[in-house]
Amino acid sequence: MDKHLKTLQSLSKTLTTLYQTRTPYRINHGSTNSTRPRPSSGTATVDISSLNNVLSVNKATKTALVEPNVPMDKLVEATLPHGLIPPVVMEFPGITAGGGFAGTAGESSSFKHGFFDDTVRQVEMVLGDGKIVRFGPDDEEKGDLFRGAAGAVGTLGVTTCLEIRLMDAKKFVKTRYHRARSVAETVEVIRREVRNGDNDYVDGILFSRDHGVVVTGELTDVKPRAAEPRTFSRAWDQWFYLHAQNQQQSEEYIPLAEYLFRYDRGGFWVGAAAFEYFKFVPFTRFSRWFLDDFLHTRMMYRALHGSGESARFVVQDVAMPFETTEAFVDYTAESLNIWPLWLCPLRRRAPPTFHPFTTVPEGVVREEEDMMLNVGVWGWGPDEPARFVEKNRELEAKVRELGGMKWLYAHTYYDQDEFWDMYNGRGWYDELREKYNAGHLPSVWDKVHVDPEAAGNKKRHWLKRQVPLGGFYGIWKSIQSKDYFLHRNAAWKWKGEE
């Protein structure tokens, strides 16, 4: 804690100095799960990468004090020995607690517990003028700052510590697979399962228009003696989505942490795109085993940025009303032909907020007032930059037409008027920026916007345009990070019954 306080005081002094000259800055967290283009150089950088510790876990109050750069795997490893777990755990081990608060993070338990920030009891933040404040969602004086900062990508101050609510953990997740034969049936099964009080986790995978699988999970300490625990973290284990695609057994038992991070290997199914890129490498279980070090999410993010392939890879999450999800899937099938698609139900939040929220188009009757569906659209887009931008703009328009909204971690091309209109105007946000001395900082739009013209005319480095040389360069950059040691040595992996 002494180290934390020392870092906090140093950060406060730095931001006070920058405020006096009204100097904008960017934050170096040490890692990122965003696919947005990196900001240009020339902006002041504030390094908070050392804020990466779990400061305490309190079994009596069922809370954890966590610095912002603590990734999900380290948080789980810290809480599980106390028999506790965060209610919302992002499915990629490298996503951080601070990123979950400042961005939008909702996962397969979010139909029950909401966004990640719904599990945060208190935030410690250094404001734009260097002042240190602490506040929670029900704070009479600064509750507006909590609601505004959640999802505002760090534009109202620098988060330095989070108090996170925990809940009792169980040993296993009793997992069931529900086969559906159409998009409409898949959506309906999800609708049914979120109303089932026994479920702790619900998500779905659409493999095609006529093949969907809805996965439900129930926390339990009881496992039949004959049931062999199913794992997904070992190099020879099947990737989860491939396992779910052909799953014939309707019920199985997955150790809790193995379930939470079941999509890490292969990054859901984005890892399969690497085999499409390196056409000479077959997509087989042996090749996935042999190349396992490179096929975990941390390494894939490094390679994606290093290779420059993020400039032509569609990575979009959109919140859709249940009622228009089928129409949106019809659009993606025709326009992008990207499969599979991820479906994740979430509790809907009312505006004003920078989290996505849904409406329904005129003439559509809303049946789910408090729920929406996240649709994950991840796959190759057009090679030509202008065409890639065009397709992304089409997707943005279609999402809005159908009453949906995008997550802001990815390529975002809205112009200012369009963007602020979506978020109910910028009056409420500007008032917060003035009240908390953040007016000199980049706005949310400044941070997430990608200029369509510049992106459409951008030419990648000649080396990165050469297939497979660009991909090998990305792999080299990921190796330099040494992130493969993190999944090799992960303490959360199932080691058998104790």
Side-chain angles (χ1 to χ4, degrees):
M1 204 65 169
D2 289 343
K3 180 183 175 184
H4 175 80
L5 293 175
K6 185 177 179 180
T7 303
L8 183 63
Q9 294 296 334
S10 175
L11 177 62
S12 174
K13 185 180 296 185
T14 298
L15 296 191
T16 299
T17 300
L18 292 172
Y19 178 71
Q20 289 168 350
T21 57
R22 300 301 191 270
T23 302
Y25 57 84
R26 62 179 294 265
I27 297 295
N28 174 33
H29 299 278
S31 66
T32 179
N33 285 280
S34 170
T35 58
R36 296 191 304 269
R38 297 181 185 277
S40 58
S41 58
T43 304
T45 299
V46 176
D47 190 340
I48 64 166
S49 57
S50 64
L51 291 173
N52 58 3
N53 301 290
V54 178
L55 300 178
S56 67
V57 177
N58 190 318
K59 192 169 183 177
T61 62
K62 294 185 180 179
T63 59
L65 283 178
V66 179
E67 292 181 324
N69 297 317
V70 170
M72 288 297 103
D73 53 359
K74 297 306 177 188
L75 179 56
V76 167
E77 289 172 357
T79 62
L80 270 184
H82 299 272
L84 300 169
I85 199 75
V88 177
V89 176
M90 287 73 91
E91 270 116 342
F92 290 173
I95 296 177
T96 62
F101 176 77
T104 291
E107 303 300 341
S108 58
S109 62
S110 289
F111 75 97
K112 195 169 191 175
H113 300 288
F115 293 106
F116 179 77
D117 58 271
D118 285 311
T119 72
V120 175
R121 293 181 54 175
Q122 191 174 58
V123 176
E124 177 186 81
M125 180 179 286
V126 182
L127 298 179
D129 60 359
K131 182 180 179 182
I132 300 169
V133 295
R134 295 173 181 85
F135 52 92
D138 300 320
D139 190 299
E140 287 187 13
E141 183 184 352
K142 297 185 178 68
D144 58 348
L145 179 58
F146 186 99
R147 292 184 290 275
V153 293
T155 59
L156 294 172
V158 180
T159 300
T160 53
C161 188
L162 301 160
E163 182 183 18
I164 298 171
R165 177 169 53 86
L166 305 174
M167 67 180 194
D168 291 330
K170 302 287 186 181
K171 222 173 193 181
F172 300 99
V173 177
K174 182 180 180 180
T175 307
R176 296 183 176 92
Y177 302 86
H178 311 262
R179 178 73 178 262
R181 292 171 175 79
S182 69
V183 177
E185 184 185 357
T186 305
V187 172
E188 189 55 39
V189 172
I190 292 175
R191 192 194 301 268
R192 180 190 74 209
E193 293 302 325
V194 298
R195 294 169 176 163
N196 181 345
D198 292 334
N199 288 329
D200 296 294
Y201 305 98
V202 177
D203 69 318
I205 305 171
L206 279 173
F207 294 96
S208 67
R209 279 177 160 141
D210 57 6
H211 181 188
V213 175
V214 176
V215 184
T216 61
E218 178 186 347
L219 289 164
T220 181
D221 282 322
V222 180
K223 178 183 70 65
R225 185 180 298 272
E228 188 71 21
R230 175 73 63 178
T231 62
F232 298 99
S233 64
R234 297 176 297 196
W236 191 252
D237 287 340
Q238 186 66 285
W239 287 2
F240 180 77
Y241 92 96
L242 294 172
H243 173 74
Q245 182 176 18
N246 300 308
Q247 180 63 15
Q248 299 300 320
Q249 182 181 350
S250 61
E251 184 177 290
E252 61 186 0
Y253 291 79
I254 303 175
L256 176 55
E258 295 276 345
Y259 187 90
L260 296 175
F261 301 128
R262 65 199 182 280
Y263 287 115
D264 177 47
R265 292 176 58 251
F268 284 89
W269 38 85
V270 171
F275 290 85
E276 295 177 33
Y277 177 90
F278 294 103
K279 300 182 187 302
F280 52 88
V281 181
F283 186 65
T284 65
R285 194 159 186 173
F286 175 81
S287 61
R288 294 193 294 274
W289 165 79
F290 184 74
L291 297 169
D292 185 67
D293 271 345
F294 304 101
L295 296 168
H296 292 250
T297 49
R298 281 185 172 102
M299 291 289 282
M300 288 195 295
Y301 270 114
R302 300 279 191 182
L304 189 65
H305 281 297
S307 67
E309 291 301 321
S310 60
R312 66 184 188 98
F313 201 82
V314 177
V315 183
Q316 299 283 1
D317 280 82
V318 299
M320 298 300 302
F322 273 70
E323 295 80 10
T324 61
T325 296
E326 184 177 8
F328 177 70
V329 172
D330 286 341
Y331 160 77
T332 60
E334 295 297 330
S335 179
L336 297 168
N337 193 30
I338 290 177
W339 300 100
L341 300 172
W342 191 47
L343 301 181
C344 181
L346 303 116
R347 279 185 6 208
R348 178 178 174 271
R349 181 176 298 177
T353 176
F354 284 111
H355 290 320
F357 55 89
T358 56
T359 57
V360 291
E362 186 176 350
V364 175
V365 178
R366 183 187 287 278
E367 298 178 25
E368 296 291 341
E369 288 291 340
D370 60 344
M371 297 292 292
M372 59 189 186
L373 269 178
N374 173 68
V375 183
V377 185
W378 316 311
W380 290 114
D383 289 345
E384 201 271 315
R387 183 66 176 149
F388 179 83
V389 171
E390 181 185 342
K391 280 294 181 183
N392 275 271
R393 286 293 284 148
E394 284 180 8
L395 182 142
E396 289 177 344
K398 180 57 68 172
V399 168
R400 196 170 184 195
E401 174 192 323
L402 294 174
M405 290 182 75
K406 288 175 28 170
W407 264 237
L408 295 178
Y409 71 84
H411 294 78
T412 302
Y413 299 96
Y414 305 110
D415 62 39
Q416 284 216 55
D417 291 341
E418 184 182 12
F419 180 85
W420 292 114
D421 182 59
M422 288 168 54
Y423 291 97
N424 290 357
R426 57 184 301 170
W428 66 276
Y429 174 63
D430 284 345
E431 288 176 7
L432 286 176
R433 282 162 65 81
E434 182 177 356
K435 179 179 178 180
Y436 295 106
N437 295 315
H440 64 297
L441 302 180
S443 72
V444 173
W445 183 82
D446 292 328
K447 292 194 71 171
V448 306
H449 175 67
V450 178
D451 182 81
E453 185 175 353
N457 294 323
K458 186 174 182 180
K459 302 298 181 186
R460 288 193 296 157
H461 189 279
W462 69 269
L463 174 63
K464 294 183 180 181
R465 294 199 305 267
Q466 311 307 312
V467 178
L469 295 182
F472 282 128
Y473 180 76
I475 290 173
W476 177 63
K477 295 297 286 185
S478 69
I479 292 172
Q480 283 185 313
S481 73
K482 298 185 179 180
D483 280 352
Y484 51 88
F485 284 117
L486 296 175
H487 63 254
R488 282 186 187 180
N489 302 323
W492 58 263
K493 292 182 180 180
W494 177 252
K495 298 176 179 63
E497 301 273 10
E498 295 182 358

